[in-house]
């Protein structure tokens, strides 16, 4: 849990409530306390920088943009094209797997302005790509992995990405606070992530069950869910 975000908790009633809720989680990471924290965290985000992609620094803007680009990438590879690599055809034949992954990452993240939302989205993408391509030894392995993703895989990756995204956004804000309560950040991180993953799974099952992953409707659903994801705990 935690990114290189360089901002502190604002001294407002909403953030004070979120901080107190995190104290309760640090003392007892029950689902009830985690749910209370997510509720207060949602309201604190709304009160300070907004959400729903209203600006480039709002929570959800880059998170939505990056997952959308990833879905486009999967669709392109399924159609037999690898357009995201901005190098010549000759250079493509000499790329190593690591170089290919760097190009994929760069193409999905775009320009960096280091606001908290973008940093969290990039960290979530990095985690997802590392897990997805962990066993790939060649560029063809990378292509085959993307091409062979099942609908279930897409849903699993979406949930992994979203849960990490939320944690990374909150991480730098609350990690020091968790340490000050002599709690174990790694354990707290795992408990919160498991809670978020369960909530997201239920949300997707309830609201996206009639949609086929990789369809235009699914992409729109995921984009909206990402930009407004904290509405789950409003």
């Amino acid at each position: 849990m935690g990114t290189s975000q360089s901002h502190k908790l604002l001294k407002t009633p909403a953030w004070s409530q979120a901080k107190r809720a995190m104290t309760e989680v640090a003392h007892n990471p029950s689902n009830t306390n985690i749910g209370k924290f997510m509720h207060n965290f949602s309201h604190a985000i709304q009160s300070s920088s907004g959400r729903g992609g209203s600006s480039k620094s709002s929570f959800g803007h880059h998170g939505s943009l990056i997952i959308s680009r990833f879905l486009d990438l999967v669709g392109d590879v399924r159609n037999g094209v690898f357009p995201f690599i901005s190098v010549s055809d000759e250079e493509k034949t000499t790329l190593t797997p690591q170089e290919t992954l760097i190009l994929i990452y760069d193409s999905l993240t775009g320009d960096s302005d280091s606001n908290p939302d973008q940093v969290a989205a990039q960290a979530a993408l990095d985690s997802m790509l590392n897990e997805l391509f962990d066993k790939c030894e060649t560029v063809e392995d990378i292509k085959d992995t993307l091409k062979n993703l099942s609908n279930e895989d897409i849903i699993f990756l979406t949930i992994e990405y979203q849960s990490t995204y939320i944690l990374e956004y909150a991480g730098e804000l609350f990690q020091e606070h968790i340490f000050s309560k002599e709690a174990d950040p790694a354990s707290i991180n795992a408990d919160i992530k498991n809670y978020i993953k369960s909530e997201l799974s239920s949300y997707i099952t309830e609201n996206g069950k009639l949609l086929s992953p990789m369809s235009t409707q699914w992409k729109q659903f995921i984009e909206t869910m990402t930009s407004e994801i904290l509405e789950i705990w409003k």
Side-chain angles (χ1 to χ4, degrees):
M1 188 177 189
T3 69
S4 59
Q5 300 172 32
S6 57
H7 65 299
K8 301 293 184 180
L9 289 173
L10 299 177
K11 296 184 181 301
T12 65
W15 281 108
S16 295
Q17 289 178 354
K19 189 175 180 179
R20 285 195 294 271
M22 176 52 75
T23 297
E24 294 181 17
V25 172
H27 292 155
N28 176 20
S30 65
N31 282 347
T32 298
N33 286 343
I34 294 173
K36 182 178 179 180
F37 164 70
M38 292 305 303
H39 170 81
N40 288 323
F41 177 57
S42 172
H43 279 274
I45 291 293
Q46 178 64 40
S47 69
S48 58
S49 62
R51 59 188 176 213
S54 58
S55 74
K56 289 185 177 181
S57 62
S58 296
F59 180 92
H61 176 82
H62 284 96
S64 176
L65 187 63
I66 286 177
I67 194 64
S68 177
R69 287 172 176 169
F70 176 74
L71 293 174
D72 285 340
L73 165 62
V74 175
D76 287 337
V77 174
R78 284 184 174 183
N79 290 327
V81 292
F82 226 25
F84 54 88
I85 297 179
S86 56
V87 296
S88 67
D89 290 339
E90 182 179 352
E91 289 176 305
K92 288 181 182 179
T93 62
T94 62
L95 286 172
T96 67
Q98 184 60 34
E99 290 171 336
T100 301
L101 291 179
I102 291 173
L103 286 169
I104 291 175
Y105 175 86
D106 288 345
S107 70
L108 297 180
T109 56
D111 297 333
S112 177
D113 56 16
S114 298
N115 68 65
D117 180 62
Q118 186 171 40
V119 172
Q122 290 174 338
L125 175 66
D126 185 57
S127 176
M128 183 181 71
L129 294 182
N130 284 335
E131 180 174 348
L132 179 60
F133 300 121
D134 180 52
K135 297 181 180 179
C136 292
E137 298 180 352
T138 67
V139 174
E140 287 303 313
D141 287 342
I142 294 173
K143 292 181 181 179
D144 289 341
T145 297
L146 290 169
K147 185 177 181 179
N148 296 325
L149 286 174
S150 66
N151 289 345
E152 289 74 19
D153 292 331
I154 295 295
I155 295 173
F156 173 81
L157 290 171
T158 298
I159 293 173
E160 283 293 318
Y161 171 84
Q162 306 285 8
S163 58
T164 304
Y165 171 52
I166 294 172
L167 284 175
E168 289 293 334
Y169 194 95
E172 189 66 22
L173 292 173
F174 292 97
Q175 184 165 272
E176 182 178 345
H177 185 64
I178 294 173
F179 272 118
S180 72
K181 302 303 176 183
E182 299 183 355
D184 180 2
S187 177
I188 297 298
N189 175 45
D191 289 332
I192 295 176
K193 185 169 184 177
N194 287 335
Y195 174 87
I196 294 173
K197 287 169 66 175
S198 177
E199 292 281 293
L200 291 177
S201 179
S202 297
Y203 181 86
I204 290 175
T205 298
E206 180 179 350
N207 297 281
K209 60 183 178 182
L210 299 179
L211 304 178
S212 174
M214 295 307 298
S215 66
T216 301
Q217 292 79 9
W218 169 263
K219 182 181 175 182
Q220 292 172 343
F221 167 70
I222 293 301
E223 289 176 351
T224 301
M225 186 186 80
T226 306
S227 64
E228 299 179 355
I229 198 167
L230 294 183
E231 293 292 334
I232 295 174
W233 298 284
K234 66 181 180 179

